[in-house]
Amino acid sequence: MELKNIAILGPGGNVGTAILQYLLKDGERFNITAITRSESRYAPPEGINVTHKSAEYTSLTSLISAFRDQDAVVNCITGSATQYEPSKLIIDAAVAAGVKFFFANEFVGYIDSPQFRRLPEASAGAKFRIREYLRKLAAEGKISWTGLNGGPFFDMWLMKGPAGFDVAHCKARIYGTGANPLYWTPLETIGRAAANMLRNPDAVKERPIHICPFVKGELTQRSLLTTLEKILDTKFEVEEVDLAKINKHARIALERGEGAKAMKGLTVSNQFYEEDCGNDFSHLIENNLVGVEMMTVEEAVRGAIARWGQDCPVVEGMFRVEPCEI
């Protein structure tokens, strides 16, 4: 299968921008169309060959029109459009428009793990159900598909708070032991891998691809702390967090049907808690297939700081996760 005309939904977001950056390295190999909501203020960077179209994401007719003559649709949208019905509408429009290849909006999380699948769909999105729908369509010969899974975005998690670090103020919140292996991927690596998948779709079609550029066990909260202190030449103020309590309260809330209340606790548990962790997809990693180069924790930390700035403010609600009330 050869892909020439590629549409990117959500081209102005972090993932869309990263993928677009690497597709443009191929010059005229691809005809790229950036598709946004009509109210979006997105404009393609000057000097690049990208067509910009608007579509109503809730309108089948509008989406079919936007997807006409496209070989592939790369779904990078966020927010409410990641829920099942809006996502299904986008896929159905791609099928109706004759699109050959659909790149699912997966990217983060080990979707097949029980811990991911128990997350409230209203908060985590419908990635698992969407994958099953794409499998059904592929079995019927209606469209081919793939998805890319690299765990949480390394640079965003480190610099914006979810990793447990406030780099600007040299503070750290270590969840539990801080030694649980992490499987995260920088956005730049995601962009490179996704572009390679679009260059060779036959190698990745009808299945998800998993990547991680770190040697298993090297990336942990403790190794991040050591690396940050080395690079910044300063000691961090460290708070040891009772992760077992966070996990216990979140699971009780989930059992009571209080999914939104449980979400933050389940999210940190899925990454950091050895007793109830759903982040290990190391047995599925196919770095070589999609051109992922290995890197050290120090290289990734330096890259994240360079990208976001040492004074990058954290999102407090993502940085300071406490046991929810039960």
Side-chain angles (χ1 to χ4, degrees):
M1 182 192 310
E2 182 178 354
L3 306 178
K4 178 67 175 178
N5 300 327
I6 297 177
I8 300 180
L9 278 174
N14 290 301
V15 180
T17 299
I19 295 174
L20 182 61
Q21 171 189 342
Y22 276 94
L23 288 176
L24 289 171
K25 292 180 182 293
D26 282 8
E28 297 181 356
R29 174 172 179 172
F30 298 115
N31 298 322
I32 301 172
T33 300
I35 300 177
T36 64
R37 295 178 176 88
S38 57
E39 65 271 19
S40 171
R41 297 181 179 180
Y42 172 82
E46 293 184 6
I48 64 173
N49 185 25
V50 174
T51 301
H52 182 205
K53 289 184 178 180
S54 295
E56 297 301 328
Y57 290 1
T58 57
S59 167
L60 182 67
T61 301
S62 179
L63 287 168
I64 291 173
S65 177
F67 294 160
R68 193 80 66 191
D69 298 323
Q70 299 296 325
D71 296 319
V73 169
V74 184
N75 187 3
C76 301
I77 58 178
T78 58
S80 61
T82 62
Q83 301 303 316
Y84 183 77
E85 291 301 332
S87 297
K88 181 177 181 296
L89 184 70
I90 290 169
I91 295 168
D92 289 343
V95 172
V99 173
K100 297 187 292 187
F101 193 71
F102 192 88
F103 203 124
N105 185 4
E106 296 191 350
F107 300 114
V108 297
Y110 177 23
I111 294 172
D112 285 323
S113 73
Q115 288 87 350
F116 187 92
R117 291 175 61 182
R118 75 182 175 194
L119 294 175
E121 189 170 291
S123 301
K127 298 177 188 294
F128 182 79
R129 281 209 291 156
I130 285 299
R131 184 190 287 178
E132 291 305 299
Y133 185 57
L134 285 167
R135 281 178 169 148
K136 174 178 176 294
L137 293 176
E140 295 170 354
K142 294 181 177 179
I143 198 167
S144 285
W145 71 280
T146 193
L148 178 59
N149 300 261
F153 301 137
F154 176 95
D155 25 10
M156 294 178 65
W157 268 55
L158 178 64
M159 302 305 297
K160 303 296 282 187
F165 297 94
D166 181 346
V167 175
H169 298 97
C170 296
K171 294 181 179 180
R173 305 185 82 240
I174 301 299
Y175 292 103
T177 66
N180 195 49
L182 305 173
Y183 303 90
W184 302 353
T185 304
L187 273 164
E188 184 176 353
T189 304
I190 290 285
R192 183 187 303 115
N196 285 334
M197 291 165 70
L198 291 164
R199 293 178 183 117
N200 186 19
D202 287 326
V204 300
K205 68 179 183 180
E206 273 63 279
R207 63 193 182 96
I209 301 299
H210 297 77
I211 62 172
C212 182
F214 303 103
V215 173
K216 184 176 181 178
E218 285 192 357
L219 180 62
T220 66
Q221 270 200 305
R222 296 288 181 187
S223 70
L224 284 169
L225 176 60
T226 299
T227 304
L228 282 166
E229 291 181 334
K230 174 187 175 183
I231 291 173
L232 302 178
D233 192 25
T234 187
K235 297 296 290 184
F236 272 54
E237 177 185 331
V238 178
E239 177 186 358
E240 304 286 344
V241 181
D242 186 349
L243 184 53
K245 184 176 180 180
I246 289 176
N247 177 264
K248 178 181 178 181
H249 283 213
R251 293 178 70 174
I252 291 173
L254 185 66
E255 290 170 2
R256 292 176 176 174
E258 300 173 311
K261 181 186 289 187
M263 187 65 189
K264 288 183 181 179
L266 293 176
T267 299
V268 296
S269 293
N270 284 0
Q271 295 300 320
F272 304 122
Y273 190 37
E274 291 92 337
E275 301 301 318
D276 189 25
C277 177
N279 74 337
D280 185 355
F281 53 78
S282 57
H283 56 294
L284 298 172
I285 288 174
E286 297 182 88
N287 287 336
N288 292 338
L289 179 64
V290 294
V292 172
E293 298 178 357
M294 303 301 287
M295 64 174 58
T296 65
V297 175
E298 181 172 341
E299 288 171 333
V301 170
R302 290 187 183 277
I305 293 174
R307 175 185 174 89
W308 291 94
Q310 188 175 329
D311 58 351
C312 177
V314 299
V315 178
E316 190 65 23
M318 298 166 67
F319 168 65
R320 196 168 300 280
V321 178
E322 303 287 357
C324 63
E325 293 183 4
I326 55 174

